[in-house]
């Protein structure tokens, strides 16, 4: 559908097509990025530079994710990028466990959108990564806050979604609806990701055997833990420990 005349004329008058990027310099805790369809970085905001440990865009342009992330994580990011490029559809609020700019493990929400050329062909992806508490600040929902706190306090237990709903004081269906609206994930996924986040912290900060960390966080064995951990972080617990302790 063509742009309305007023809108098209206004956009045509903009001196710098990249000027819109400036808004991301004034959004605390938001990391902006843009990559082409080959996975090469094209642009980012200064917060992203700091996260990557570089000082300017000159060090960023043309670089692949492998320059800044462990190979397994970079591979997972590229798979998400390619999914957006192939489908032309956005990836909204993907929950990820990763280090923030202070090198502390935290939760982030990532949104990716396709970048189109003038003929409508997808030529890359752009997106933002931000802390999930920023999202929660706009969802003043008691049940969600209680669910997050309870899941965090009981991250060493293999709770059911029914257990969580009873702790919050609502039905499973009600809790599912509230968590979907606020975080974009189910109660089951919240419980699982909370346990994995806590386990990741232990992997990065201790020498406790992986099997013990798995059992301590409610997993029946190391194999089940490894499968779920790799699915959500892009690497095995052993790889995660080696990279983050290194």
């Amino acid at each position: 559908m063509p742009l309305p005349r007023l809108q098209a004329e206004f956009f045509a008058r903009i001196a710098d097509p990249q000027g819109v990027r400036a808004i991301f310099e004034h959004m605390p805790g938001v990391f902006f990025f843009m990559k082409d369809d080959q996975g090469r970085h094209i642009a980012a905001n200064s917060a992203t530079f700091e996260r990557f440990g570089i000082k300017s865009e000159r060090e960023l342009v043309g670089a692949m994710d492998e320059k800044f992330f462990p190979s397994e994580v970079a591979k997972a990011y590229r798979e998400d990028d390619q999914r957006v490029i192939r489908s032309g559809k956005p990836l909204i609020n993907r929950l990820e466990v990763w280090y923030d700019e202070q090198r502390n493990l935290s939760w982030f929400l990532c949104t990716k959108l396709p970048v189109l050329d003038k003929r409508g062909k997808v030529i890359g992806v752009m997106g933002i990564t931000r802390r999930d508490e920023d999202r929660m600040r706009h969802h003043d929902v008691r049940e969600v806050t209680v669910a997050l706190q309870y899941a965090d306090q009981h991250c060493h237990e293999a709770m059911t979604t029914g257990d969580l709903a009873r702790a919050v004081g609502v039905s499973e269906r009600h809790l599912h609806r509230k968590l979907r609206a606020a975080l974009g994930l189910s109660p089951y996924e919240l419980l699982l990701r909370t346990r994995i986040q806590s386990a990741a912290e232990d992997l990065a900060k201790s020498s406790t055997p992986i099997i013990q960390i798995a059992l301590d966080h409610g997993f029946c064995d190391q194999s089940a833990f490894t499968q779920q951990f790799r699915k959500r972080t892009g690497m095995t617990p052993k790889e995660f420990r080696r990279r983050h302790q290194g």
Side-chain angles (χ1 to χ4, degrees):
M1 181 181 296
L3 295 176
R5 181 176 177 181
L6 174 63
Q7 189 180 52
E9 290 178 348
F10 181 83
F11 287 151
R13 292 168 57 197
I14 294 177
D16 181 5
Q18 300 187 48
V20 69
R21 288 199 292 151
I23 190 66
F24 294 108
E25 295 297 333
H26 305 282
M27 300 176 69
V30 173
F31 304 92
F32 167 77
F33 59 89
M34 183 180 290
K35 291 179 276 188
D36 68 8
D37 57 2
Q38 301 300 310
R40 297 172 295 192
H41 284 270
I42 301 298
N45 63 346
S46 57
T48 302
F49 302 159
E50 294 175 8
R51 185 185 187 188
F52 288 171
I54 59 179
K55 296 181 179 180
S56 71
E57 202 163 65
R58 184 176 296 275
E59 299 176 68
L60 174 86
V61 177
M64 307 290 281
D65 281 326
E66 281 82 358
K67 180 176 179 178
F68 312 110
F69 298 103
S71 60
E72 290 298 322
V73 174
K75 179 182 177 182
Y77 289 166
R78 184 166 298 111
E79 289 174 354
D80 284 345
D81 293 347
Q82 289 301 315
R83 187 177 300 117
V84 172
I85 291 170
R86 288 193 302 269
S87 68
K89 297 179 180 179
L91 182 67
I92 306 296
N93 290 335
R94 175 74 170 268
L95 194 63
E96 300 175 346
V97 177
W98 191 241
Y99 282 109
D100 62 17
E101 63 272 33
Q102 280 81 42
R103 300 295 294 170
N104 295 316
L105 284 167
S106 185
W107 280 13
F108 288 84
L109 290 165
C110 183
T111 291
K112 296 181 179 181
L113 303 173
V115 176
L116 309 179
D117 66 11
K118 294 182 178 180
R119 294 174 295 178
K121 179 183 177 182
V122 180
I123 59 173
V125 296
M126 64 177 176
I128 57 172
T129 300
R130 58 197 176 97
R131 294 180 179 85
D132 75 310
E133 55 258 38
D134 291 337
R135 179 174 174 83
M136 284 302 300
R137 198 171 292 124
H138 298 288
H139 291 271
D140 187 18
V141 182
R142 184 197 69 82
E143 294 95 335
V144 174
T145 302
V146 173
L148 285 170
Q149 293 174 342
Y150 193 84
D152 185 60
Q153 292 166 359
H154 295 78
C155 62
H156 296 280
E157 304 172 22
M159 284 192 301
T160 67
T161 57
D163 294 333
L164 182 61
R166 283 189 290 275
V168 177
V170 297
S171 69
E172 288 187 62
R173 176 178 294 183
H174 180 84
L175 183 61
H176 188 281
R177 185 170 63 251
K178 290 296 184 180
L179 286 176
R180 278 292 183 191
L183 288 175
L185 73 164
S186 67
Y188 170 79
E189 189 67 17
L190 169 65
L191 290 170
L192 189 55
R193 287 176 183 264
T194 302
R195 289 157 59 200
I196 288 175
Q197 180 188 9
S198 177
E201 293 174 352
D202 283 355
L203 288 167
K205 299 176 181 178
S206 76
S207 58
T208 304
I210 293 176
I211 178 59
Q212 189 59 51
I213 290 177
L215 297 175
D216 287 346
H217 288 84
F219 293 93
C220 59
D221 55 37
Q222 186 169 333
S223 176
F225 173 54
T226 296
Q227 180 182 18
Q228 297 292 354
F229 192 93
R230 179 163 48 191
K231 182 178 179 181
R232 287 160 181 81
T233 67
M235 67 186 82
T236 66
K238 183 178 180 179
E239 291 168 339
F240 186 93
R241 166 172 278 173
R242 183 173 65 248
R243 294 180 185 279
H244 294 304
Q245 289 195 349

